[in-house]
Amino acid sequence: MFAVIGAAGFVGAALTTRLAAGPEPVRILVRDEGRARARLGAAAQAVELVVGDMHDERALDSLLAGTRAVYTTAQTVTARQPAGAGDFATAERRAADLVLAAAARHRVGRLVTVGLIGASGEATNPWVRSRADLERSLLAGPVPATVLRPGLVVGRGSVGFDGLVTAAGKSTAVIRGSGRQRWSYIALADLVGYLVDVVDLPAAAGQVFDVGSEEAPTYRELVARTAHLLGRRAPRLLPLPLPLLRAAAPVVERAQGMPAGGLRAAIAHLGDDLVGDTAPVRALLPRELAGWDAAAGAALAATTASDAASPRR
């Protein structure tokens, strides 16, 4: 049996849908059962749901009993956390420790998680440092772990991709930061494919892999390429300074119950390049990844089809 934490999220829902179509049972951990069922659609009928979160030891025990592998796709940097969970780094580390302890209690054979491309303990950004520290903790833990670190994940529901599409659909668009940062990218389907492929691969245990495109266009270039897919001219871009957004972040964090410092760090990361070394995973798992036009075009087409199928009011 597979277990998935974060199954109602962007990556988690796609992964759960893929696993649910296979022969092996799937059990998922969700905070809101109604939201999860709505997000997963028909796949929700094929999986077992456990209601709780990563800070709930009893829920983790219910999730992991009898499972052989667990996927963790939940993010804590800007997600609402239980009272007393601490700042984003503390909440993230405590949740990971609880998952590892529960997985060890139930003799889970593999843990696979989604990280952050290029994460480094020497980074100036506290979120990037926190992710690198978390990776080290997982790899040193009692359960064989694999970390996949994507750049921009291409699919509707991805905050980064949805922002690109919004900007590309305008004649003049306000963007966060200069737009000159370089981004590796990966189609959601390709990321899910990697997640499925590594879980039973012995050589992937104890490893961290950057996954994504070999090219790394700038954000401005991706906006222009997306506008072309929409049949539009590239918009005029008006940069919104990141320091201004960071200054407002604490107010938003408090208003929306986000962990302290998380949104501020995530905003600062918008100015960083999303690049890494994808050669190791390509050598271990040769895979023809979708290019930007194919990945973004498929995401846009899926949205159009969904809109067409929705009842008109």
Side-chain angles (χ1 to χ4, degrees), residues 1 52 72 80 103 112 114 143 147 197 202 215 312:
M1 174 178 281
T72 64
R80 185 182 294 273
V112 180
V114 178
V143 178
V147 182
D197 289 346
E215 69 160 343
R312 295 288 185 260

Side-chain angles (χ1 to χ4, degrees), residues 147-167:
V147 182
L148 296 184
R149 309 195 302 187
L152 171 68
V153 183
V154 183
R156 296 312 298 263
S158 160
V159 173
F161 181 70
D162 286 351
L164 270 168
V165 173
T166 298

Side-chain angles (χ1 to χ4, degrees), residues 28-302:
I28 65 176
L29 181 68
V30 297
R31 290 179 173 180
D32 185 322
E33 182 176 351
R35 176 176 178 270
R37 290 190 181 280
R39 181 68 183 270
L40 293 171
Q45 305 303 316
V47 302
E48 180 183 343
L49 279 79
V50 175
V51 178
D53 65 25
M54 296 168 71
H55 296 274
D56 184 340
E57 291 184 81
R58 284 188 292 184
L60 288 173
D61 283 331
S62 296
L63 173 75
L64 296 177
T67 63
R68 70 178 185 87
V70 56
Y71 290 95
T72 64
T73 63
Q75 65 89 14
T76 60
V77 66
T78 58
R80 185 182 294 273
Q81 298 298 308
D87 65 12
F88 75 93
T90 302
E92 189 168 62
R93 180 60 182 268
R94 179 174 183 274
D97 287 346
L98 289 172
V99 171
L100 279 174
R105 284 196 300 274
H106 294 282
R107 294 182 170 82
V108 176
R110 180 67 69 88
L111 183 149
V112 180
T113 190
V114 178
L116 185 67
I117 196 167
S120 167
E122 288 71 49
T124 58
N125 186 292
W127 181 35
V128 180
R129 291 198 307 273
S130 173
R131 296 301 300 183
D133 179 66
L134 188 66
E135 288 175 2
R136 289 193 293 270
S137 175
L138 291 173
L139 296 181
V143 178
T146 302
V147 182
L148 296 184
R149 309 195 302 187
L152 171 68
V153 183
V154 183
R156 296 312 298 263
S158 160
V159 173
F161 181 70
D162 286 351
L164 270 168
V165 173
T166 298
K170 297 180 177 180
S171 56
T172 300
V174 176
I175 61 171
R176 295 170 293 184
S178 70
R180 303 191 188 284
Q181 65 273 27
R182 296 166 53 235
W183 282 10
S184 173
Y185 60 84
I186 185 169
L188 176 59
D190 286 330
L191 174 57
V192 169
Y194 273 135
L195 288 167
V196 171
D197 289 346
V198 299
V199 72
D200 288 321
L201 191 63
Q207 301 296 316
V208 176
F209 297 105
D210 292 326
V211 295
S213 58
E214 293 184 271
E215 69 160 343
T218 67
Y219 186 86
R220 288 174 174 266
E221 290 169 340
L222 290 177
V223 170
R225 288 161 70 171
T226 305
H228 178 74
L229 292 173
L230 293 171
R232 300 178 59 92
R233 296 181 61 179
R236 175 172 174 252
L237 301 180
L238 302 178
L240 186 62
L242 293 181
L244 181 64
L245 295 173
R246 290 201 303 270
V251 176
V252 178
E253 289 169 356
R254 289 193 295 271
Q256 299 191 13
M258 297 177 180
L263 180 60
R264 181 181 175 86
I267 290 172
H269 190 49
L270 291 174
D272 299 335
D273 290 337
L274 293 181
V275 296
D277 180 8
T278 63
V281 77
R282 289 173 182 271
L284 182 64
L285 288 170
R287 186 181 189 89
E288 186 174 350
L289 301 181
W292 182 261
D293 286 359
L300 293 170

